[in-house]
Amino acid sequence: MKPTFLAGIIAGVLACSAMTAARAADGAPVDAVLSNGMHVVIVRNRLAPVVTTSIVYGVGGVDDTIPGIAHATEHMLFRGTTDISSEQFANIATRMGAQYDAETTAISTRYYFTIPANYLGIVLRLEADRMQHARMSERAWEHERGAIEQEVKAHLGNPLLPAMKQVNDVFYGTSPWGRDPVGTIAGFNRMRASDIAAFYKTWYHPNNATLVIVGDVDPQRALASVRRRFGAIPSAPLPAHPALPLGVLQAKTIVQRVDFPLSFAVESFRAPGLDDPDYAADQVLFTALDNARGRLADLALSGKALIALGLSTGFPQGGSGVFVAAPLPGGDPKATLSALDTILAEYARTGIPDDLIAAAKARLLASRAYEASSIPGQAAEWSIERAIEHRTPAAYYAALERVTDADVNRVFRTYVSGAPRISLALLANPTAAMPHVDRMSATENVKVTASKDVTLPAWTNAYFAAPLHAPRDRDPASTFTLPNGMKIAVRRERFSPTFVVRAEIRSNPDVYEPKGKEGVADLTSSLMPFGTTTYDVKAYQAQLDRIAASVSLGTSFAAQARAADFDRTIALLADGELHPAFSPARFAIVARDAIKSLAAVENRPETKAELARVDALYPPGDPHRRHATAASAAAVTLADVKRWYAFAYRPDLTSVSVVGDVSPAEVKAAFERYFGAWKAVGPKPSMAYPSVKGKVRSTSTTIASATVKQSQVTLTQRLPLRRGNGDLVALEVANTMLSGEGTGSMLFRDVREAHGYVYSIDSALNAGRNGSTFSLAFAADPKNVSAAQRTAFATIERLRAMPPSASDLALAKAMLLSNYTVSLDSYGAVADELLIDLRDGIDDNDVTRYYDRVLAVTPADVQRAMRRWIDPAHFTRVIVAPKP
């Protein structure tokens, strides 16, 4: 329930009783309980004109009366109320440009929105409405049952799931705590809307809810709005949750073959629960064990494993600790289990090193400031702390402060070294395909698309009647270029005393890698994190640990740290980026791992499918067709790596963005000090692909896979459209209408809602400097592939044949404008946006001009652009299909 690297919010929580009004100083959170028992937390974060709301109900899979009914209830809360239809709900959310979703766990159900701040009143009204008046009709459930069953089928297709269920069975036996909260097909087939309605009426009450609001709001005004919307909703008696069985764990070793291309070794233990006094010490323990200077990381550093990590999760009453390692392709996971056991035995003998404990505490405590740099992240953290752990972030961080070295070692001896464990060795199937993961797989597919124009409730007019306007940046970035050509953009944000750096060196290995040495660019990037000429890899990590900073290196490099440590962080970032060690010993390990990995994937269906797609789109000799193989990687020498680094790592191809509590003057001084001596050698390469002429002939390639459960279909058209072409704006608007927020609108409606051919379908427009592509992607049962494609093409043809309706066009424009605002909800997101603009030569006025062009797009523009550029006759199709 709680990630290992816990993220904090900010200090100073003011707790208020149910009978008194909540009061908060400017910048301090409001933490109140309404008279009906609903808990409310409001945190002002003025990073962007954005708000995240998160409402958590204390009910989850352990409370299921029928397997999956908590999950089904979550889905049905998006299917309308007695006042608002599901189509109206979806249309309102789309007009707001909302990022919204929900999740059901074993012990909670959470619903969240991220929206422009001026729409907070809408979300409060929607949430209060569905807390009381969710409509649970049999017709709606029959429709939703098919969607949720497809989700369950995709979930059950995870080849690692059976092994994980065996571990759960040992941990929790037959109790409800061992259930998968996703549910079962049998459970959903048994379920009726009346069952869901009864479950909803049992648990969905204000005294079982915690509402968190984080963003650009006035806390007292927001609290008044919450009281107005939720205060009159009555509380109700709540059932007790089932007890968590915490008997003595029975040691067990499980060896199982899985349809997965990698093997895994897993050691699992009981751990302190969220309510346990030892929980904070447990978090410090696992953060210390996961340090890059620790023995666990040595498995990967020494080349004995691809990855090795530890993590701890838990319920309030009890948790679990897990160590996971993936041996090299072809390696024996049982030997890796033995290596994990040796590491744990060594720590039991020597104790956890004091410096790793100190570094773990420092990082966990520093994350308190980091979390405030993300509006959705801050809301998620408060939701966990308040709704599930029933304490404030301040209380959690105070517990971390009190943790001693003795506490950490005692928890290790009690729960890890001296306790029974479950050992799991998962044996790979080298020919297995990776499970299909589409772009929406991390989120619930709960959205609904209207089948016709929707009339919205009159009360929405106050929010939507105003005309749309292109965004005007209220705080433009400062930009400058160093004498060596390095471009830097800075935006000062003061809410969190931290900063982030995002940087990119423009590179194009396809065009410039030496023939027969494909893979040299990836090998170079892979070597970058392993020490510098100043510090070896562990000494470099120790320097980062001293300031609780994070750094990544390569052609994309980045950093995050506290503002007080800005100068030291940039010094370390420059040392890593400009003075890589490139040691022969490390090169031998990295090259060996790369060769083995490439050999393992060369014959995988996904690899063949991607190569077939590229070969169909681009003619022989085109650089897009180039790719690394085990043979080409084996031909790369350390001297080749050093030559590539000297050629490709250039300041005049580098763009950097910095966002946080540092001034432009500080940034300029630090980068001049530490990056100023970096000089480019030789003429500046263009790094652009050559232009490709001619249309793509429609082709179809099918790759058989023994492990996929559904056909994975990708349809792509190459477009002779360069970035900056005026028609691209109209095509962006069209793509928004076609696929909206990922689950889609027109395509989603036609292919999923009307026919049920797919669970999700996505479209993407990718504009490049010398060409673009437009693609469709979906997964379907083999028998439905042709029908799904035919229906998707019919949707495209409709946009080519006639202009979209004015209401559809207005909805797409509103979504694009609001999505831009919502996308700037964290320091990292702002830095990413700045970096893209700086790299592409776009300034704040260009952004405004772009959205002015969006607003100027007419229905005729959309039809003309679709007719001119998008043609189903020129799509190439690649399918990874289940083997008959």
Side-chain angles (χ1 to χ4, degrees):
M1 291 303 304
K2 190 163 185 74
T4 306
F5 295 93
L6 295 170
I9 313 297
I10 57 176
V13 177
L14 180 63
C16 301
S17 72
M19 303 302 294
T20 60
R23 303 254 177 222
D26 187 29
V30 165
D31 190 352
V33 179
L34 304 187
S35 58
N36 58 12
M38 180 171 160
H39 212 128
V40 182
V41 174
I42 305 172
V43 183
R44 190 174 202 170
N45 185 326
R46 302 186 68 187
L47 170 64
V50 170
V51 168
T52 292
T53 66
S54 172
I55 189 164
V56 182
Y57 292 92
V59 58
V62 299
D63 305 300
D64 282 348
T65 51
I66 300 173
I69 197 166
H71 186 196
T73 305
E74 172 221 303
H75 272 247
M76 290 298 286
L77 255 69
F78 291 89
R79 301 309 161 198
T81 69
T82 55
D83 295 324
I84 297 175
S85 70
S86 59
E87 290 85 359
Q88 287 175 320
F89 184 101
N91 192 289
I92 290 169
T94 299
R95 284 176 181 269
M96 293 190 295
Q99 301 295 318
Y100 69 105
D101 216 325
E103 59 184 359
T104 302
T105 71
I107 60 176
S108 67
T109 307
R110 183 167 82 101
Y111 302 83
Y112 50 95
F113 279 86
T114 298
I115 52 169
N118 56 305
Y119 293 138
L120 174 61
I122 294 181
V123 172
L124 294 181
R125 183 159 181 162
L126 293 176
E127 293 291 16
D129 184 37
R130 62 180 178 174
M131 180 182 280
Q132 306 170 83
H133 304 305
R135 184 169 50 202
M136 303 289 183
S137 72
E138 293 293 344
R139 181 178 180 182
W141 169 237
E142 285 301 316
H143 184 83
E144 190 59 28
R145 187 203 312 270
I148 200 170
E149 287 184 354
Q150 287 194 62
E151 179 185 348
V152 173
K153 288 177 183 177
H155 175 71
L156 295 177
N158 182 346
L160 304 181
L161 196 65
M164 295 297 98
K165 185 179 184 307
Q166 290 190 57
V167 174
N168 252 13
D169 289 346
V170 177
F171 260 85
Y172 306 113
T174 59
S175 79
W177 293 86
R179 293 176 186 156
D180 189 336
V182 169
T184 65
I185 299 296
F188 295 126
N189 284 336
R190 283 175 50 200
M191 220 175 282
R192 297 293 177 264
S194 57
D195 299 318
I196 303 171
F199 188 85
Y200 164 76
K201 290 174 182 176
T202 299
W203 292 103
Y204 278 70
H205 302 290
N207 52 313
N208 196 35
T210 299
L211 173 64
V212 174
I213 301 171
V214 176
D216 191 8
V217 297
D218 179 289
Q220 292 302 325
R221 288 184 180 179
L223 181 61
S225 296
V226 171
R227 290 189 190 280
R228 187 165 57 253
R229 292 296 173 201
F230 293 88
I233 303 175
S235 61
L238 299 170
H241 300 290
L244 175 66
L246 287 176
V248 176
L249 187 66
Q250 298 299 311
K252 187 173 184 179
T253 298
I254 301 170
V255 179
Q256 185 169 321
R257 187 167 294 281
V258 291
D259 279 327
F260 199 80
L262 294 177
S263 294
F264 290 97
V266 183
E267 293 284 25
S268 186
F269 317 78
R270 288 215 191 280
L274 306 177
D275 294 341
D276 195 296
D278 280 333
Y279 178 70
D282 176 72
Q283 297 300 291
V284 175
L285 168 65
F286 274 87
T287 304
L289 293 176
D290 214 33
N291 190 290
R293 293 184 284 141
R295 294 188 178 109
L296 197 61
D298 283 344
L299 279 178
L301 282 173
S302 62
K304 296 178 181 177
L306 290 176
I307 58 167
L309 55 91
L311 56 93
S312 177
T313 62
F315 302 120
Q317 304 96 317
S320 62
V322 178
F323 297 97
V324 181
L328 299 175
D332 182 1
K334 289 176 283 187
T336 306
L337 272 179
S338 179
L340 285 174
D341 292 341
T342 298
I343 289 170
L344 299 179
E346 290 172 348
Y347 278 134
R349 184 177 66 255
T350 64
I352 311 301
D354 297 351
D355 60 335
L356 295 188
I357 294 174
K361 285 187 65 174
R363 286 192 176 276
L364 288 168
L365 291 168
S367 66
R368 182 181 199 176
Y370 295 149
E371 195 62 33
S373 69
S374 167
I375 291 173
Q378 200 171 19
E381 178 64 9
W382 267 102
S383 298
I384 292 170
E385 296 288 357
R386 257 305 175 211
I388 297 171
E389 300 182 9
H390 306 295
R391 61 185 167 211
T392 65
Y396 171 68
Y397 287 104
L400 284 176
E401 287 275 17
R402 293 191 296 268
V403 171
T404 66
D405 292 2
D407 292 332
V408 172
N409 282 290
R410 174 176 49 77
V411 169
F412 180 77
R413 290 191 303 270
T414 303
Y415 290 94
V416 181
S417 66
R421 67 188 67 167
I422 303 172
S423 301
L424 186 62
L426 301 181
L427 307 173
N429 174 2
T431 63
M434 293 290 280
H436 175 62
V437 179
D438 66 32
R439 290 171 57 184
M440 298 304 296
S441 63
T443 58
E444 285 276 45
N445 199 339
V446 294
K447 301 178 179 68
V448 173
T449 303
S451 58
K452 56 186 177 181
D453 286 351
V454 175
T455 300
L456 297 184
W459 61 263
T460 63
N461 291 339
Y463 296 95
F464 296 142
L468 299 174
H469 295 286
R472 261 71 178 176
D473 203 321
R474 62 181 183 180
D475 185 16
S478 299
T479 61
F480 49 87
T481 302
L482 299 186
N484 60 10
M486 194 175 191
K487 296 185 294 185
I488 302 173
V490 185
R491 176 165 296 171
R492 186 161 201 174
E493 298 287 353
R494 300 175 185 270
F495 188 81
S496 168
T498 64
F499 70 91
V500 296
V501 174
R502 297 284 192 269
E504 179 185 334
I505 305 171
R506 282 194 60 212
S507 180
N508 194 335
D510 289 346
V511 173
Y512 290 104
E513 279 183 323
K515 187 175 181 180
K517 306 268 186 176
E518 292 84 359
V520 65
D522 286 343
L523 280 171
T524 304
S525 292
S526 297
L527 277 170
M528 295 288 288
F530 293 104
T532 73
T533 55
T534 311
Y535 303 105
D536 67 24
V537 61
K538 292 196 173 185
Y540 189 82
Q541 183 62 45
Q543 294 296 312
L544 294 173
D545 284 343
R546 287 183 182 180
I547 55 175
S550 300
V551 161
S552 62
L553 304 169
T555 48
S556 291
F557 57 100
Q560 181 182 39
R562 290 168 293 199
D565 299 309
F566 179 75
D567 189 82
R568 181 58 181 154
T569 304
I570 301 306
L572 290 169
L573 182 64
D575 189 47
E577 195 68 17
L578 306 186
H579 307 294
F582 288 149
S583 77
R586 178 54 49 192
F587 171 76
I589 293 173
V590 170
R592 183 203 63 188
D593 292 355
I595 293 165
K596 283 193 171 187
S597 297
L598 286 166
V601 304
E602 281 176 356
N603 293 315
R604 281 178 41 212
E606 294 97 331
T607 304
K608 293 180 179 179
E610 176 58 19
L611 294 178
R613 187 186 74 86
V614 172
D615 287 352
L617 289 173
Y618 300 99
D622 188 276
H624 285 91
R625 285 187 168 217
R626 300 186 69 191
H627 63 278
T629 64
S632 67
V636 176
T637 66
L638 183 56
D640 293 324
V641 165
K642 292 179 178 179
R643 278 192 291 270
W644 178 261
Y645 174 82
F647 166 76
Y649 286 65
R650 303 171 56 104
D652 54 352
L653 290 174
T654 301
S655 301
V656 180
S657 65
V658 181
V659 175
D661 195 10
V662 288
S663 70
E666 290 176 89
V667 173
K668 185 174 183 180
F671 274 86
E672 285 179 338
R673 185 178 305 118
Y674 300 115
F675 283 91
W678 187 19
K679 303 298 181 186
V681 177
K684 180 180 176 180
S686 72
M687 295 299 175
Y689 284 102
S691 298
V692 183
K693 297 181 179 179
K695 293 184 177 180
V696 177
R697 183 173 57 88
S698 181
T699 63
S700 181
T701 303
T702 299
I703 310 294
S705 169
T707 55
V708 299
K709 309 302 181 187
Q710 290 185 304
S711 292
Q712 301 163 16
V713 183
T714 304
L715 299 146
T716 311
Q717 181 182 355
R718 194 187 74 232
L719 309 175
L721 268 174
R722 298 185 180 186
R723 193 180 297 156
N725 185 294
D727 279 346
L728 279 171
V729 176
L731 289 177
E732 288 281 6
V733 174
N735 187 59
T736 301
M737 286 188 284
L738 285 168
S739 66
E741 297 173 299
T743 55
S745 50
M746 294 178 70
L747 288 169
F748 186 69
R749 174 179 68 217
D750 295 347
V751 186
R752 173 185 157 170
E753 291 284 322
H755 298 288
Y757 294 140
V758 302
Y759 180 58
S760 65
I761 182 168
D762 196 19
S763 66
L765 176 67
N766 295 307
R769 292 175 183 272
N770 285 328
S772 305
T773 60
F774 179 78
S775 61
L776 303 175
F778 60 86
D781 290 337
K783 67 179 186 297
N784 291 332
V785 166
S786 294
Q789 177 179 316
R790 190 164 54 248
T791 306
F793 281 177
T795 303
I796 289 173
E797 289 288 6
R798 194 162 69 247
L799 273 182
R800 284 163 46 89
M802 65 183 70
S805 69
S807 60
D808 279 349
L809 184 61
L811 187 63
K813 292 177 180 181
M815 187 192 315
L816 281 168
L817 289 165
S818 293
N819 278 348
Y820 175 77
T821 300
V822 168
S823 71
L824 305 179
D825 58 12
S826 68
Y827 281 10
V830 174
D832 289 338
E833 185 72 20
L834 279 181
L835 181 63
I836 292 169
D837 291 349
L838 187 66
R839 180 197 67 194
D840 295 339
I842 299 171
D843 61 23
D844 295 319
N845 291 328
D846 291 328
V847 172
T848 299
R849 282 192 291 270
Y850 171 79
Y851 284 100
D852 281 335
R853 289 197 294 271
V854 167
L855 291 174
V857 168
T858 67
D861 293 334
V862 172
Q863 182 195 12
R864 183 171 55 252
M866 288 293 293
R867 182 181 291 175
R868 181 179 297 171
W869 300 109
I870 308 299
D871 185 354
H874 294 290
F875 277 81
T876 182
R877 182 176 75 171
V878 177
I879 305 173
V880 178
K883 186 174 288 186

